[in-house]
Amino acid sequence: MIRIEKLNKFFGDLHVLKDIDITVKESDVVVLVGASGSGKSTLLRCLNFLELKNSGTITIEGEQIEPQTHDLNKVRERVGMVFQHFNLFPHKSVLENVIEAPIHVKGINKAQAVKEGKELLDKVGLGDKYDVYPSKLSGGQKQRVAIARSLAMKPDIMLFDEPTSALDPELVGEVLATMKQLAEEGMTMVVVTHEMGFAREVGDWLVYMHEGRIVERGNPGEVFENPKEKRTQEFLKSIL
């Protein structure tokens, strides 16, 4: 589904991503972990082309994507993204937030978009909130609306950039449960998170990044129990 080869990204003189190589297969859940500033979120943003690489290749579903020759909005329809902050439209109801992009970007008729939007809100446990505005929702509910909004575009791949880090601790579980359900349904996912329980339970692959490089990757259980690299050992000791 995703193949990244020799990906490099600079911000001015700062070398943020250094020769990144990752392959993500269909239905894989790949969890990226590492200290703040290790490049995890920048890597996700490069996969969604919100940041443009300096060198290397990004292949999505067998197609090598180059910003100069591809319609990136079309690519983003296939690669959904959920951010740390929910970015909901405050002046639109929950349902209006979910149906906005299918109607205006994909050209789906409103009746169909409403039907599918309600089904998605039911799926994320918000079937009683169609007409509520974001200001009346908890952080966990807002994030579940954001997930439904991404799913409304029917992406093949979902990217999650620290989706629970802005939430109060008691609200984290409801968002992780929604993500776990997606994983069980076979959604291909790349997740940046500090939730190590989720990484261990749901992840197929754990990728540890440090200073813009991939230091270690493997089955989450194996990496947690027996990290090979000294930096991984130090990182896990500091958070577990």
Side-chain angles (χ1 to χ4, degrees), residues 108-119:
I108 293 172
N109 73 68
K110 186 171 181 180
Q112 179 71 13
V114 166
K115 176 177 177 288
E116 292 177 359
K118 286 181 174 179
E119 288 170 356

Side-chain angles (χ1 to χ4, degrees), residues 17-18 58 137 195 208:
L17 296 175
K18 303 168 183 172
I58 298 174
L137 301 179
E195 299 294 333
Y208 169 59

Side-chain angles (χ1 to χ4, degrees), residues 3-7 18-23 207 214 217:
R3 186 166 178 78
I4 305 166
E5 296 177 280
K6 294 281 181 269
L7 185 70
K18 303 168 183 172
D19 289 333
I20 299 292
D21 288 308
I22 294 180
T23 298
V207 175
I214 293 176
R217 71 185 89 202

Side-chain angles (χ1 to χ4, degrees), residues 85-91 97 134 137 141-143 145-146 149:
H85 299 287
F86 328 113
N87 302 327
L88 300 179
F89 295 117
H91 60 290
N97 265 280
L137 301 179
Q141 290 169 329
K142 288 176 186 173
Q143 194 58 292
V145 174
R149 182 178 60 180

Side-chain angles (χ1 to χ4, degrees), residues 44-116:
L44 274 201
R45 291 174 71 85
C46 285
L47 283 178
N48 197 248
F49 300 92
L50 295 170
E51 300 288 354
L52 301 183
K53 63 187 172 65
N54 290 98
S55 64
T57 61
I58 298 174
T59 303
I60 306 284
E61 296 182 290
E63 185 180 8
Q64 187 173 315
I65 308 296
E66 295 297 342
Q68 300 83 358
T69 55
H70 284 80
D71 180 346
L72 297 183
N73 287 325
K74 290 288 184 195
V75 177
R76 292 188 193 108
E77 289 181 22
R78 292 188 274 155
V79 185
M81 188 157 179
V82 175
F83 299 88
Q84 179 177 344
H85 299 287
F86 328 113
N87 302 327
L88 300 179
F89 295 117
H91 60 290
K92 292 182 180 290
S93 70
V94 162
L95 181 59
E96 287 170 337
N97 265 280
V98 172
I99 67 175
E100 177 83 4
I103 290 172
H104 293 290
V105 178
K106 281 199 150 180
I108 293 172
N109 73 68
K110 186 171 181 180
Q112 179 71 13
V114 166
K115 176 177 177 288
E116 292 177 359

Side-chain angles (χ1 to χ4, degrees), residues 9 14 119 141 158:
K9 174 65 183 172
L14 187 62
E119 288 170 356
Q141 290 169 329
M158 285 284 282

